[in-house]
Amino acid sequence: GGAPRREMLLAVGPGDEGRARAFAALGIDRPAAEAAVEGAAPVRAAKRDTLRVVKALRRRFDVAGADPNYVHRPSLVPNDTFYVHQWHYPAMKLPQAWNVTTGTPAGGGNAPIVAVVDTGVVINHPDFFGQLVQGYDFISNSVSARDGSGIDPDPDDPGDGATAGQHSWHGTHVAGTVAAASNNGLGVAGVAWGAKVMPIRVLGAGGGTSYDIIQGIRYAARLSNDSGTLPARRADVLNLSLGCLACFAQTSQDAYTAVRAAGVVVVAAAGNENTSQRGYPASYDGVVSVSAVDMALARAPYSNYGDRVDVAAPGGDTSVDRDGNGYADGVLSTLVNESRQPIYSFLQGTSMASPHVAGVVALMKAACPTLGPDGLDGLLASGMMTVDRGAAGRDDVYGHGLVDALAAVSNCGTPPPATLSVTPSRLDFGTSATSFTLTASKVGAGALAVSFLDDAGWLTVTPATVDAEGIGTYTATVSRTGLTAGIHTATITFTAAPATITVPVTLQVGTGSGAGNAGHLYFLLVDFSTNPPRTVAQAEGNPSSGLYPFALGNVPSGTYFLVAGTDSDDDDFICDDGEACGAYPTIGVPTPIDATQSRSGLGFSAGFEVPLGSASPGGAAGKQGFRLLDGAKRVEVAP
């Protein structure tokens, strides 16, 4: 095509013979060893040979210019009837990502499986035809299950309301976002329509219990569980659009750790209470916590936030109609009416945001089948699957940023650069502690060179067990000798170019200058080995000369955590934002107390200036929000 002195379309001759003639005419020398290696990948070889021809043409004096004849494609837009109202997909560059993969693995491998751990799904919804694999119903209480039995192999959702008209059909909406049948001229599109959904029913009338949820996630990961059965293939991703505040349980943490060790990525909703208080399972170690944004890509007004948020995704805001299309700005997905007839509806919540991320992970698994939880963590931390929003770098609203589906599927096979993580994020030595351990960890691939320094004479940091890169544990010790009464502050700085991590340090000597009145304090002794945690003893009091004498009697033998705080707003919660809080020996690194015999000298500091957000009782992180039932009675942790 074309003619001299304007664009011409050239092609390397057909087959190896034509390619050889072109190479000879242009003086291209193709190494024999390379040709042998590329013989097993003919498409790659053809592309590389085309580029060789382009470069050779550019070197000729009689050629003004030469470029590859690139192939352009339209961005894939599915033809589902209501896709036009799914604003949340373009917001995360999903149409561009679909040009790379829709969730169907290249080469005909197994489709990724996303376990939706929820209320089950209405299986006969037309947007689920061909999209489901065998799941299970793990609701052990037959009344809550509403299907006439305890656990059984049928994850179909009969409704989770106590009476007709109160059903949420929550899991049906979540599953539609993950993988509704798409580009079929019907209904809505799913994020990863080439993937499959494994419905796991754990929520019934009144919600669901930690125990049932544990059985459900173990089943999805092909670990032993109460059903006595295992799925044909384990799930690649778990989505948990469920949760509770201040409900850490070590048993649950262990279960999520086991699921992650099995190679399963766990994604969970951060919660909808508009609080920085930690919710679970999103705040468990090893779980990807998802906050929600609205159509303007700002934090949705209900979305939880805090130091455990990893990533943000569209969750919608049904209180507004920013685009003026006559529909509230919620997330549109599959649903049914009270007669279980298929409909499509707009809902809002971090419950809607979480399956967007789970679906993107399924797309990544299709593009990069060997991707595992550790690799995903590295991609998140390095910003290779997000668009940074809010404060530069990780922040408590967006985590590492707004999920970017195109970046995620484009970078999933790229090892993320090494980054440094230091825990805990702060140290508070209180009035008596003298030594704490810091752990420096590496996320991603590549070398690091870790250095550290402290900026106070009373503070000493020494390596305990570290490798050649400086990754490992460090011991921070303090000496109060010669220090004046009061609160002293310092900083430990870890550097691994280009990252710099600072760890604030505080300690108290005596009562402190002007210290002594944090208000009326409640002292709680909490057992975190139970689910939910329970308070076994309570005391309260006012300060005397800067100190709060307290005693806790009739304590059962056991191991507990000691916490204290005020309830200045009279909402029956201590340690709310703006209220005093403390824990023994420090709110930064609390330590369990062995109460097999009487104990004394359990002094610690409580106040308003202590920044929270590092480790807290039971291995959880951040403050717990302890609820007072009655000042004269025992208290319990809020569920």
Side-chain angles (χ1 to χ4, degrees):
R5 301 187 184 280
R6 68 174 180 83
E7 297 85 0
M8 300 178 69
L9 179 63
L10 302 181
V12 177
D16 291 340
E17 182 180 347
R19 191 177 307 181
R21 286 200 303 269
F23 278 26
L26 294 170
I28 298 173
D29 181 21
R30 187 171 190 245
E34 183 181 282
V37 171
E38 290 186 339
V43 174
R44 181 184 300 174
K47 289 182 178 180
R48 184 171 294 180
D49 285 346
T50 298
L51 295 178
R52 285 195 176 96
V53 170
V54 169
K55 291 179 179 179
L57 288 170
R58 288 172 176 171
R59 290 193 293 266
R60 290 177 63 99
F61 74 93
D62 54 350
V63 175
D67 294 290
N69 191 27
Y70 293 106
V71 177
H72 294 67
R73 297 184 178 90
S75 293
L76 180 57
V77 176
N79 60 11
D80 300 82
T81 308
F82 303 119
Y83 173 75
V84 65
H85 300 301
Q86 292 182 287
W87 59 268
H88 31 103
Y89 290 168
M92 48 191 276
K93 299 183 184 175
L94 193 53
Q96 296 92 324
W98 284 331
N99 286 326
V100 179
T101 179
T102 59
T104 301
N110 291 321
I113 296 175
V114 180
V116 174
V117 184
D118 214 291
T119 64
V121 302
V122 177
I123 291 175
N124 66 359
H125 195 293
D127 253 328
F128 292 153
F129 292 167
Q131 298 302 103
L132 305 179
V133 299
Q134 178 63 48
Y136 213 91
D137 177 357
F138 281 97
I139 301 177
S140 56
N141 183 291
S142 59
V143 175
S144 178
R146 296 191 72 257
D147 59 1
S149 65
I151 70 172
D152 59 62
D154 182 9
D156 188 71
D157 185 359
D160 60 344
T163 61
Q166 297 180 347
H167 307 309
S168 71
W169 314 111
H170 188 270
T172 298
H173 198 278
V174 169
T177 297
V178 172
S182 307
N183 211 27
N184 60 352
L186 172 71
V188 295
V191 172
W193 70 74
K196 304 296 182 183
V197 168
M198 178 189 292
I200 303 293
R201 188 166 182 251
V202 298
L203 302 180
T209 67
S210 298
Y211 183 83
D212 292 348
I213 293 169
I214 288 173
Q215 301 311 307
I217 66 174
R218 289 185 64 86
Y219 174 90
R222 294 197 91 243
L223 301 174
S224 61
N225 61 86
D226 283 356
S227 74
T229 64
L230 298 175
R233 286 177 47 225
R234 69 160 172 80
D236 298 284
V237 191
L238 265 63
N239 184 84
L240 295 112
S241 291
L242 50 83
C244 55
L245 291 179
C247 56
F248 175 89
Q250 190 61 49
T251 306
S252 293
Q253 175 65 80
D254 293 344
Y256 288 104
T257 300
V259 167
R260 180 184 171 99
V264 182
V265 175
V266 184
V267 181
N272 304 321
E273 292 79 20
N274 185 27
T275 180
S276 62
Q277 193 175 6
R278 296 194 174 193
Y280 298 89
S283 294
Y284 283 122
D285 291 341
V287 176
V288 178
S289 176
V290 185
S291 65
V293 299
D294 60 16
M295 186 180 284
L297 305 185
R299 183 177 74 88
Y302 52 79
S303 179
N304 288 356
Y305 50 96
D307 61 352
R308 281 291 192 175
V309 170
D310 294 299
V311 63
D317 180 0
T318 56
S319 69
V320 294
D321 176 17
R322 283 189 173 87
D323 58 2
N325 68 351
Y327 296 100
D329 295 345
V331 169
L332 181 61
S333 186
T334 49
L335 213 64
V336 295
N337 60 23
E338 286 304 306
S339 299
R340 287 171 47 95
Q341 297 303 305
I343 61 172
Y344 302 88
S345 186
F346 295 89
L347 297 180
Q348 69 173 20
T350 57
S351 282
M352 285 61 254
S354 182
H356 284 82
V357 175
V360 168
V361 177
L363 293 177
M364 297 169 75
K365 289 290 292 185
C368 305
T370 61
L371 178 69
D374 291 341
L376 184 81
D377 285 351
L379 293 170
L380 266 176
S382 61
M384 296 174 69
M385 57 180 290
T386 57
V387 173
D388 193 19
R389 293 190 62 83
R394 195 217 159 271
D395 63 70
D396 286 355
V397 173
Y398 299 93
H400 296 288
L402 177 67
V403 65
D404 182 325
L406 177 60
V409 298
S410 300
N411 295 327
C412 60
T414 305
T419 57
L420 178 66
S421 172
V422 177
T423 56
S425 59
R426 71 173 310 277
L427 297 177
D428 171 20
F429 286 84
T431 59
S432 59
T434 59
S435 177
F436 287 127
T437 297
L438 290 157
T439 301
S441 305
K442 178 169 68 173
V443 179
L448 285 179
V450 179
S451 60
F452 65 94
L453 59 88
D454 58 73
D455 60 1
W458 48 264
L459 172 66
T460 302
V461 181
T462 55
T465 304
V466 300
D467 60 18
E469 292 182 320
I471 300 300
T473 59
Y474 294 79
T475 301
T477 58
V478 295
S479 172
R480 293 176 175 80
T481 303
L483 295 181
T484 59
I487 296 176
H488 298 259
T489 63
T491 299
I492 303 171
T493 302
F494 287 84
T495 302
T500 298
I501 297 176
T502 58
V503 180
V505 181
T506 59
L507 69 78
Q508 184 171 340
V509 177
T511 61
S513 175
N517 192 353
H520 189 78
L521 286 184
Y522 296 89
F523 299 87
L524 317 181
L525 203 57
V526 184
D527 180 1
F528 272 80
S529 68
T530 62
N531 184 23
R534 64 188 181 95
T535 298
V536 299
Q538 172 189 337
E540 58 185 284
N542 294 308
S544 173
S545 301
L547 296 175
Y548 284 81
F550 69 94
L552 297 161
N554 299 318
V555 177
S557 178
T559 302
Y560 310 110
F561 289 89
L562 177 61
V563 298
T566 60
D567 182 26
S568 57
D569 57 4
D570 289 325
D571 67 348
D572 291 333
F573 282 82
I574 67 170
C575 290
D576 280 337
D577 290 336
E579 295 177 346
C581 195
Y584 173 81
T586 157
I587 193 70
V589 189
T591 301
I593 298 169
D594 181 10
T596 55
Q597 58 185 353
S598 295
R599 299 288 303 270
S600 62
L602 299 176
F604 61 98
S605 62
F608 300 94
E609 302 300 325
V610 180
L612 305 178
S614 52
S616 69
K623 60 183 182 179
Q624 295 294 309
F626 302 98
R627 181 159 61 93
L628 298 171
L629 299 181
D630 189 311
K633 300 179 181 178
R634 77 173 209 179
V635 300
E636 296 179 354
V637 176

